[in-house]
Each structure stands twice: as C-alpha cells, then as structure tokens.
Amino acid sequence: MLASTWLSPPFLPASTNKLLIVSGNSGSRRPPQRMSGGGGLVLHARLGDGAGAGGELTPSASRRHALLAAATAAFALVNAPCVRYMNQAALGRSFTGTFCGDLVAGAMAHSWRLLVQGLTSLMFLCARADEYVRPPPSPLVLMAHDKPASHPQQVHISVVGAKKMCISWVTDDRSAPSVVEYGRSPGKYTASAAGDHTTYHYFFYKSGAIHHATIGPLEPGTTYYYRCGKAGDELSLRTPPATLPIEFVVIGDLGQTGWTASTLSHIGGGDYDMLLLPGDLSYADTQQPLWDSFGRLVQPLASARPWMVTAGNHEMEALPVVELAPFAAYNARWRMPHEESGSRSNLYYSFDAAGGAAHVVMLGSYAAFGEGSEQRRWLEADLARVDRRRTPWLLVLLHAPWYNTNQAHQGEGEKMRLAMERMLYEARVDVVFAGHVHAYERFTRIYDNEADSRGPMYITIGDGGNREGLALRFIADHRSAHLSVFREASFGHGRLRIVNETSAVWTWHRNDDEYATVRDEVWIESLAAGKQSIARTAGRHTDEL
C-alpha cells in the first residue's frame, strides 16, 4: 500500500526560494543546459528573485522576500500537523486517539493535500508551456506493512568477509526466531544459520525485533534462495564475483520520495553486483516509523544485492537535553562488517570485493577523525594492510564532501580533509565518493586544492531522491571551479564498473526525466602502479567541459 504526502512547499525547494525554469525546445524533454566552464544551469526565468544587478536587494525586493518568508513559515505551521496525520494514517496509527477526531483531522489533511497539489499545478500552468520545468521535490512515499507480525520485512543484505553474507530483517513479533534457511534451488534449503536480534527505544517508539544472521560459506557469483524467520516469502540473492570485472552502483542521500522510487527503478533496470551508499538513508529525522517505511521501500533491491552503507548527518538523530544516543536507529538496523575490518565503530569500516582486487573504505564524517582519534588510528592500520600489487583498486566513501563548488554545505568537510587527505593521497586512493550536497559533481584528480595526477578523483553524488530538494546553485568563481569537470543539479545514480586491474568506467545516470540518461562518463586508470594517471573522458559531454 502506498500513500503520498507533501513534506515541504512543492514550489519552494528547501535549498532555494526560486522556481527555476530551464531553457528547452517546444514539446521536448531536453536536458538542462550548462554554462561553459562547468558553471550552473542556464536559467530561462526566475520567480521570486528580487536581487538587483549588483546582487543587493531593492526595498521592494526586501518586502517581497519578507512576504515570502512569512508565507513559508505559515505554510510550514499548517503543513506539519497535516503531514503528521497522513504519516500516521499511512502507517495504520491513530492521530488523535478518537474515531471522530481522526475523521475530522483526516478530512482537513486531505483538503490540505488537494490544495497543495492544486497550487503546484497552477505554478506549472503559469510557466510557459514550451519550457522544460525542473520538477519540485517529490512527495514522500510511505510503505505500510499489512502482513502478520511474524512476517519478515525490511530485508537487506551485506557482505561479511570473502564468502559470507549478513541477512538483516525486522518483525513486529519480538519473539520470532532469528533464523535464515537457504539453498541454491527455490524452496530447497540445504543449510540454515541462527543469528540474534535487538530492539531500541526512541521516546515512545519501540522498534520491532531487528534480526541479523550471517550465512555461509557461499560460492561467489551464485544465486541463493532464502527465507527469514521460517515465515513469509522466499527471497533470492546473488553473491558478488570472486574476480574482476565487478560493478558498483553508487547513490547518496536517498530518502523515500517519488524521486527515490524513480532512482531505485532505474537501478533495478540494469544489472550490478553491489550498492554503495555514502550516507543519508531514510531521512527519518527522529520520526522512527519512517525507518520502517524506508526499509520496506528498498527491500526489493536491498534483499537481492549487498548494500554497503555509511552514516550521514540525517542518521545522527541526537537531541540536546534528552540525551538520546546518536545513530541508535542506524546502528541497530544497518549492521556493517566493522568488527571484521578491525573497527570498533559501525560508523567506519572496510571490506574487500572481487577477491581482493578492490578495497572499499567507508569513513564516518560524524565520528571523531582528528589526531589521536580512534577512526584515524584505524584508517592508518587499514590502509597499511592494503597490498596494491594484489589490490589494484582502492575506493573511499564518506558523507560530507572535501571538494565542493555548490553553495550548499560549503566547507563542511574541510576539517576532515585537513586531517585525512594526506593519508588517502599517500595510499594512492583512486576515487573518493561523497554525498550531502544534493547534486552531482565530478572533479579531476586532486591533492591539497590542486590538480594532481597521483591524487584521487573526487565525486559528489548526493542526488538519490531526498525530500529536501536539489542544491541548485553552483559558485562560478569558487576556488575549486577550475578542478570541477562536470556538475549538474539533478537526481540520479552512478555506476562504477571495474573492468580489469588497470581500467574502470564511471557513468552518471540522470533521472529527472521518466528514463535514466547517461550524462557523464569517464574512464579511470588505477594508481596502483604508482605512475601518474589521467582519467580519459568519453565523448558524451565533451562539448560541455
């Protein structure tokens, strides 16, 4: 069952107070155009922009901005209780505690939703019909659970060592068994594994039983059929390959909106071996039932291929005074193989892929990283164990980007860069992926704010489909602008296919349209040999560089 609700004014993306209309041909769905030199989008019209030629606000513009701020505040005030009601209703919970009260609240919330959708339609009709209008943030998608309490839900898998997988799921029945049965043929389970379960509290919310069981040893590149908790549906998974080639899907800042559903659909439309997510998963932001909804939304993909994730700022969920433990939901629900990689924290860890041909390091942007910190000591030891003669590919993921020319989240990764960049450079890391900024941006190889053919390539991919909207403004004269090769504020996902020991191809697939379109593609050479290496750009967007 699906239910949709608006979380923010649909015509006012969280990162801007402008409706941005991108130039396009009549009757076409032409991609947004880009300014020369990697600048921002070419805008055909701006609504609500009161800045004068010099960038300062005129008196009339100031009044318009004040009215806009007041309207936004009023919208949020009315929107919040309506959204809360629709969230609770979608999840099968009472809002007021009384039947009559729910009827009244439900009618008000439904009327509000219709009004918001009407306003959205009006804004689109007011725009010229022959223009491509970049869509607003999509409504929240809620996935309700209507199965028995013992029925496993929110199933997702992760790799544990070379030949094992961790199966995680949730049951409303806290006494359900933590057992996984599995085999190579449908309905024929030749092995089983017992695990454990945990629960957590957040204010008045108590989670269901969160189960984790490790199965194996498993054969690489093999399909297994399995069932969790001796109940519910049979699922299948495919283990990653033992050798190259291997293909990673990379998405950040996923959330659970209509754009998220589009991203997941496009990912599922093509084959891959493993998914990497550099933070900001559910956007629950203290509303714990949204963690459950998110788990149900991603289950079709997350139960079939390993999802390896690290935490973003939206996983923190810490509140002052109340002193709720940060990352409580994330740590309970998304258990990663940190102990197997020598880490004491679920916020940072590493693992091998393709039989050790690739080593992936997941760092914690919101765990201590300075001199003397546990994460720094762990990273030094982890990188020291990597033998680049047998591991030609070294990848790093973190949440807050170290290089960023977008106006959003400027400088938020700078302290971590200063603390750790040299370590990655000396280890000859090939690519660093980040999220946090809700846009796509690819840099050349960099070290210490300068182009360096021996440094990592930096890619920001925080565009999975979050509810806050896109980060639309790039800074044309940013000090790193000359290092930025390609940037675009659109939702999408990326794919890194490591072909062999020396070559990999990276593609970014935009999903602002109804279909995924490859907008950026580049071939990458491994730095394992210690030689200078330059990324070879394919011809898809050379006219835009």
Side-chain angles (χ1 to χ4, degrees):
M1 184 176 108
L2 279 169
S4 299
T5 59
W6 292 102
L7 283 189
S8 61
F11 46 87
L12 292 175
S15 58
T16 181
N17 63 352
K18 302 175 183 178
L19 175 65
L20 303 180
I21 305 173
V22 183
S23 176
N25 293 332
S26 176
S28 70
R29 293 184 63 81
R30 179 175 144 190
Q33 301 300 300
R34 300 173 62 253
M35 296 179 182
S36 60
L41 300 171
V42 176
L43 306 179
H44 186 80
R46 298 181 179 179
L47 303 184
D49 186 2
E56 298 180 358
L57 295 178
T58 64
S60 61
S62 297
R63 286 193 294 272
R64 287 198 298 271
H65 278 261
L67 288 173
L68 182 61
T72 303
F75 184 99
L77 185 64
V78 178
N79 190 47
C82 292
V83 167
R84 282 202 306 276
Y85 175 81
M86 287 185 279
N87 286 352
Q88 294 297 316
L91 296 172
R93 296 182 173 86
S94 173
F95 182 71
T96 65
T98 66
F99 177 74
C100 292
D102 276 355
L103 283 179
V104 174
M108 292 176 62
H110 180 68
S111 299
W112 179 248
R113 178 174 59 84
L114 292 177
L115 174 61
V116 169
Q117 291 176 341
L119 288 173
T120 303
S121 300
L122 180 62
M123 293 298 292
F124 279 97
L125 289 173
C126 289
R128 287 176 53 186
D130 63 346
E131 299 293 353
Y132 176 83
V133 180
R134 183 167 299 287
S138 188
L140 187 69
V141 173
L142 295 176
M143 303 294 291
H145 181 60
D146 56 1
K147 302 288 181 64
S150 61
H151 192 289
Q153 55 170 302
Q154 308 174 48
V155 184
H156 58 269
I157 64 177
S158 56
V159 296
V160 181
K163 294 187 176 182
K164 296 182 179 182
M165 303 275 273
C166 178
I167 314 295
S168 302
W169 72 97
V170 177
T171 58
D172 291 333
D173 179 1
R174 297 184 180 90
S175 63
S178 302
V179 175
V180 175
E181 304 166 286
Y182 62 100
R184 295 192 188 185
S185 300
K188 297 181 179 179
Y189 308 130
T190 57
S192 66
D196 56 34
H197 76 270
T198 185
T199 62
Y200 73 94
H201 286 81
Y202 197 95
F203 283 113
F204 301 111
Y205 172 89
K206 183 177 181 180
S207 72
I210 304 170
H211 306 264
H212 304 283
T214 299
I215 64 174
L218 306 173
E219 293 298 318
T222 302
T223 297
Y224 287 85
Y225 299 86
Y226 67 100
R227 185 174 67 163
C228 303
K230 297 185 177 181
D233 302 326
E234 179 179 79
L235 302 171
S236 66
L237 63 85
R238 192 183 71 201
T239 55
T243 59
L244 297 176
I246 187 172
E247 182 163 323
F248 300 98
V249 162
V250 188
I251 51 173
D253 299 70
L254 190 55
Q256 45 190 309
T257 69
W259 294 125
T260 307
S262 177
T263 299
L264 296 175
S265 174
H266 293 148
I267 291 172
D271 197 16
Y272 64 99
D273 299 300
M274 188 180 299
L275 186 143
L276 309 177
L277 202 163
D280 283 0
L281 284 72
S282 71
Y283 281 78
D285 293 328
T286 75
Q287 300 180 58
Q288 297 307 300
L290 293 184
W291 274 109
D292 297 308
S293 176
F294 175 79
R296 293 189 282 266
L297 178 65
V298 302
Q299 174 177 310
L301 295 184
S303 63
R305 299 288 186 274
W307 277 41
M308 311 304 293
V309 306
T310 188
N313 55 299
H314 285 274
E315 275 71 66
M316 195 175 301
E317 298 187 301
L319 294 176
V321 182
V322 182
E323 296 185 356
L324 291 169
F327 304 105
Y330 170 79
N331 284 332
R333 295 171 183 271
W334 291 82
R335 181 185 294 178
M336 293 292 112
H338 64 279
E339 293 178 348
E340 290 78 4
S341 63
S343 168
R344 297 181 181 179
S345 171
N346 194 47
L347 303 181
Y348 50 87
Y349 62 96
S350 66
F351 62 94
D352 287 336
H359 186 69
V360 183
V361 179
M362 311 291 275
L363 295 180
S365 291
Y366 305 98
F369 49 71
E371 191 72 35
S373 66
E374 181 65 32
Q375 182 173 196
R376 183 183 176 89
R377 288 194 295 269
W378 169 82
L379 180 60
E380 288 176 338
D382 186 77
L383 294 176
R385 288 193 292 268
V386 178
D387 182 355
R388 296 304 296 274
R389 291 171 296 183
R390 65 173 297 272
T391 304
W393 290 96
L394 184 52
L395 312 176
V396 170
L397 284 85
L398 48 88
H399 188 61
W402 294 357
Y403 292 95
N404 169 33
T405 70
N406 197 289
Q407 196 172 76
H409 302 301
Q410 265 300 307
E412 291 185 18
E414 181 65 7
K415 289 184 179 179
M416 191 178 191
R417 181 188 74 81
L418 293 173
M420 292 184 163
E421 184 180 26
R422 184 172 185 83
M423 298 167 63
L424 304 193
Y425 179 76
E426 291 177 346
R428 294 294 183 263
V429 168
D430 294 290
V431 187
V432 176
F433 294 102
H436 203 36
V437 176
H438 301 163
Y440 172 73
E441 183 167 22
R442 175 170 61 83
F443 292 86
T444 187
R445 293 190 178 277
I446 303 174
Y447 176 62
D448 196 19
N449 287 292
E450 295 295 340
D452 191 320
S453 61
R454 298 169 296 174
M457 175 182 293
Y458 288 84
I459 296 175
T460 300
I461 188 158
D463 57 353
N466 67 86
R467 62 174 169 77
E468 296 177 332
L470 293 164
L472 297 163
R473 301 178 183 176
F474 290 97
I475 303 172
D477 59 350
H478 192 279
R479 69 169 182 170
S480 300
H482 67 291
L483 304 172
S484 179
V485 178
F486 185 88
R487 48 186 170 174
E488 182 176 309
S490 295
F491 291 114
H493 75 278
R495 292 174 180 262
L496 179 68
R497 180 173 179 79
I498 301 179
V499 180
N500 53 41
E501 288 77 8
T502 59
S503 299
V505 59
W506 165 258
T507 52
W508 175 65
H509 305 246
R510 191 188 69 207
N511 70 350
D512 260 355
D513 300 311
E514 296 177 358
Y515 49 87
T517 304
V518 176
R519 290 285 289 151
D520 186 27
E521 180 173 356
V522 62
W523 281 88
I524 306 170
E525 294 181 6
S526 168
L527 296 178
K531 63 181 180 180
Q532 293 188 357
S533 178
I534 301 176
R536 294 181 285 112
T537 303
R540 290 189 183 267
H541 66 273
T542 52
D543 58 326
E544 299 179 347
L545 298 182

